[in-house]
Amino acid sequence: MMKTYRIGQIVPSSNTTMETEIPAMLRAREAVEPERFTFHSSRMRMKKVTREELAAMDDESDRCALELSDAAVNVMGYACLVAIMSRGAGYHRESQARLQGVAESNGHPTPVVTSAGALTQGLAVLGAKRVAIITPYMRPLTDMVIDYIEAEGFQVVDSIALEIPDNLEVGRQDPLALTDIVQRLDTQGADAVVLSACVQMPSLASIQQVEDALGKPVVSAATCTTFQILKALGLDTVVPNAGRLLSGRYR
C-alpha cells in the first residue's frame, strides 16, 4: 500500500517560496519513489527582513508548531534560516528541541527540521569544509549568517549579499538569474556552494545546472531542508535534478 506523509511547514507570512520549492522537490520524487506527500502550513508574521521583525516572528513559532501538531503531521520544517541564525550561534538546536516539545505536549510527537540546521548539516554530510554563499540579505545580516555557519565549523571563503530588504521582493527573484550571479562568486577554494542561503530566494531551477557547470556540490537552504525532511521520515534522500546532496548517495 502506498504511504502518504503529511509535511508541516512553519512559514513566515510573506514567504512565497517554501510552499513551492519543497513541494516541487517532493512531487518530483514521487515520479521515482512510491511515497506520496501532502503539505500543511502555519504562518508567522514577517514582512521586512530585519533583526526586530525576525525576532518577533520567531516568537510565534511555538504557536505554529502547536497548530501543525493538531493535524498530526509527520514532520515539521521551520522555513526561515535567518530568523534562527539571528538569535545566536547554535540556536537551531534550541528551537528544534522547544518546538518538538510543543508538539509532544499536544499529544503528537513530531520531528522538527530547521532550515538553519539543515543547511549546516547538509554541508557536513557532503564533507565540505570551505564554502561560498549567496544570500538575498543586507550585508550586516549576511555577515551574521557567515558567523553562524563558521561557528558550526565551516569557513566561508566568499559571499555575495544581494541586499534585498523586502521579503516579498526576495521571493520574486528569477531563480535562473543565479546562473549569472554565481559567476561573480569566488568558488575556486570552496568545497561546496550555497546558491541560496534563504528558503525564500528561489533557486531550485538553477541548482543542477550550476552544479554541473562548477563540478562541485551546490545546495540551497531548501534542498538541505528537503534532505533533512526525508531523513526524519526514514526515506531515501532522492530527488531528481536537485543536486548531489539529493542524489540518494547520502543517508
Side-chain angles (χ1 to χ4, degrees):
M1 181 177 175
M2 188 181 299
K3 185 163 184 180
T4 298
Y5 294 89
R6 299 187 187 98
I7 310 299
Q9 301 187 89
I10 300 174
V11 184
S13 57
S14 53
N15 186 294
T16 55
T17 306
M18 172 82 163
E19 293 150 311
T20 56
E21 287 202 339
I22 290 180
M25 281 184 267
L26 295 179
R27 291 285 179 246
R29 187 185 185 281
E30 289 177 345
V32 297
E33 297 289 338
E35 297 84 17
R36 297 295 180 262
F37 305 91
T38 62
F39 302 92
H40 313 274
S41 299
S42 180
R43 308 183 90 76
M44 311 168 285
R45 289 296 308 281
M46 189 270 281
K47 296 172 71 176
K48 301 291 184 183
V49 190
T50 64
R51 275 184 178 270
E52 295 74 22
E53 285 208 33
L54 291 169
M57 182 197 76
D58 182 58
D59 288 341
E60 295 187 47
S61 61
D62 287 29
R63 170 187 55 77
C64 293
L66 185 64
E67 291 174 359
L68 290 171
S69 68
D70 286 344
V73 296
N74 299 108
V75 64
M76 296 184 201
Y78 187 120
C80 190
L81 175 141
V82 72
I84 294 288
M85 292 189 174
S86 69
R87 297 211 127 175
Y91 178 73
H92 66 273
R93 298 178 183 88
E94 177 184 335
S95 172
Q96 178 179 322
R98 190 184 71 250
L99 298 177
Q100 287 178 172
V102 168
E104 186 171 0
S105 69
N106 196 35
H108 294 290
T110 310
V112 174
V113 172
T114 70
S115 55
L119 179 64
T120 57
Q121 289 156 5
L123 293 171
V125 165
L126 291 167
K129 299 295 185 184
R130 294 160 57 85
V131 301
I133 71 171
I134 300 172
T135 87
Y137 312 126
M138 305 302 286
R139 175 48 68 179
L141 283 180
T142 298
D143 289 342
M144 182 195 64
V145 168
I146 291 170
D147 290 344
Y148 195 100
I149 291 171
E150 292 194 332
E152 292 294 311
F154 305 94
Q155 180 184 355
V156 178
V157 298
D158 195 26
S159 66
I160 291 175
L162 298 180
E163 300 204 272
I164 308 169
D166 183 88
N167 206 39
L168 278 176
E169 187 59 29
V170 172
R172 295 188 186 108
Q173 299 306 296
D174 178 359
L176 291 175
L178 287 165
T179 61
D180 293 324
I181 293 168
V182 75
Q183 294 179 35
R184 310 200 312 260
L185 190 68
D186 183 359
T187 62
Q188 290 280 11
D191 304 315
V193 172
V194 181
L195 200 60
S196 174
C198 173
V199 290
Q200 170 71 334
M201 185 166 75
S203 63
L204 181 57
S206 292
I207 294 286
Q208 192 67 58
Q209 184 176 340
V210 173
E211 182 171 287
D212 292 344
L214 294 178
K216 59 185 63 182
V218 174
V219 299
S220 69
T223 62
C224 290
T225 300
T226 300
F227 179 86
Q228 291 298 331
I229 284 172
L230 291 170
K231 277 195 66 176
L233 295 174
L235 300 177
D236 289 341
T237 53
V238 175
V239 173
N241 299 311
R244 192 178 307 180
L245 182 65
L246 288 166
S247 66
R249 73 181 72 178
Y250 303 103
R251 300 182 184 277

